[in-house]
Amino acid sequence: MFSGAVQPATVSLFSSTGSDPLSLWSSKTDPSLPADSIVCLLDDSKSTPTPPAPAAMISAHPVGAEGGNHLDSNSPRMGYTLTQSVLHIQSPLLTKTYVRCPPIGWGQSHIHRGRDLGLKHPWVHIQARNMGRPWSFELGLIDQIGKEGIVRCSTFQDEPVLKPTSPPLLHLPLSFPAASTTPLTAWSTISLYLPSLLSYFTSRTLLRISDEDEEDTRMGEIELPGSRFSHTSYVKVYATCRLRRIWFSEAKSSQKLPWEFLLYAET
């Protein structure tokens, strides 16, 4: 998608306030859960407009340690919210409700332009709101010799695990800031340095094994990424969360970011 293009120091892959936020993405909901599986744009501070029936949107999660259920969206216990459009993704079954870039099936019709995302930036940043439900996102990483590994970060994962799938999957724990008695916000910016993650694909200490010989055989048959980072092949964000922006950058520092990338920037 971007492999043949000149890539600036910062690339915004998703912005919920853009004219067409999902133009580079595909979205999927679970047809077996019409009331609970939802992907829609709404105002974060008001949780409106509500999706059409039978969809039933969950309540926002309070950030205070003493927060309770069924709080008004203007309650101080809800923390600071964004007075702008965000992407709401929810489902009790994460794997069947998500957004993905490049879109599903994109590679089949754009083979001559490359099948994957092709972004070479070492840093990825995701602005997301904690909805108090399980949440997960994943990235496809390609090394310099073309081997791929999947990194999945999940709030329900307790410890790092390497699974000998094809391509191999590195499942990492993810946590939002701990609840505080002083409400601030449920929004966070998550930043990952992608080159540092490739080394974990060759770590046998992370393997969760039930039969060591069988797993060793399988690992020997799978091509593990391990050389230097080349690029990101795709980004996939599962339920349940709210998204404001996803961008890639050459550096971690936010000092030179455009003002609209910052949380609570006036619009």
Side-chain angles (χ1 to χ4, degrees):
M1 180 175 279
F2 292 100
S3 59
V6 175
Q7 300 184 12
T10 301
V11 174
S12 179
L13 193 63
F14 170 80
S15 172
S16 62
T17 59
S19 59
D20 189 3
L22 293 174
S23 61
L24 299 178
W25 299 71
S26 60
S27 63
K28 185 179 185 302
T29 55
D30 189 347
S32 68
L33 298 170
D36 302 309
S37 179
I38 303 170
V39 177
C40 68
L41 290 164
L42 50 73
D43 185 302
D44 181 57
S45 62
K46 301 176 182 178
S47 293
T48 58
T50 56
M57 194 162 55
I58 62 172
S59 300
H61 183 63
V63 297
E66 298 178 355
N69 295 326
H70 309 297
L71 293 176
D72 183 83
S73 60
N74 295 319
S75 169
R77 293 183 182 179
M78 298 306 297
Y80 296 111
T81 56
L82 303 182
T83 55
Q84 57 189 234
S85 177
V86 298
L87 186 67
H88 179 92
I89 310 172
Q90 77 168 57
S91 178
L93 186 60
L94 276 65
T95 57
K96 293 187 177 181
T97 303
Y98 58 82
V99 293
R100 186 188 191 279
C101 181
I104 297 172
W106 184 89
Q108 282 70 33
S109 59
H110 296 75
I111 294 176
H112 64 288
R113 296 172 57 188
R115 289 178 177 270
D116 62 20
L117 193 56
L119 284 174
K120 301 180 181 298
H121 303 69
W123 286 94
V124 64
H125 314 269
I126 300 176
Q127 288 178 340
R129 179 174 178 172
N130 179 11
M131 298 298 291
R133 305 292 178 92
W135 176 50
S136 186
F137 69 86
E138 68 183 40
L139 307 157
L141 305 184
I142 309 294
D143 70 8
Q144 291 284 355
I145 59 177
K147 295 180 180 179
E148 182 177 23
I150 298 172
V151 175
R152 181 179 297 161
C153 300
S154 304
T155 57
F156 51 85
Q157 186 70 14
D158 295 326
E159 60 183 13
V161 172
L162 178 61
K163 298 184 178 181
T165 53
S166 183
L169 170 67
L170 176 64
H171 202 170
L172 301 175
L174 171 70
S175 62
F176 285 101
S180 169
T181 55
T182 304
L184 293 175
T185 181
W187 283 93
S188 297
T189 299
I190 300 162
S191 298
L192 292 177
Y193 183 58
L194 304 178
S196 69
L197 300 177
L198 284 177
S199 62
Y200 293 104
F201 284 96
T202 57
S203 173
R204 290 185 175 273
T205 61
L206 298 182
L207 277 174
R208 178 179 294 170
I209 56 177
S210 56
D211 186 324
E212 186 172 358
D213 292 335
E214 179 181 349
E215 293 292 348
D216 284 347
T217 300
R218 291 185 61 191
M219 289 299 288
E221 297 172 351
I222 295 173
E223 293 187 345
L224 298 172
S227 67
R228 292 183 301 170
F229 173 75
S230 171
H231 64 275
T232 300
S233 60
Y234 73 92
V235 178
K236 196 173 186 179
V237 182
Y238 295 95
T240 295
C241 72
R242 286 182 180 177
L243 286 179
R244 181 181 184 264
R245 187 179 293 272
I246 299 175
W247 74 95
F248 286 78
S249 67
E250 292 292 343
K252 179 182 180 181
S253 175
S254 61
Q255 294 179 354
K256 297 181 179 180
L257 282 176
W259 65 267
E260 63 268 21
F261 279 52
L262 305 177
L263 289 171
Y264 313 115
E266 295 181 358
T267 58

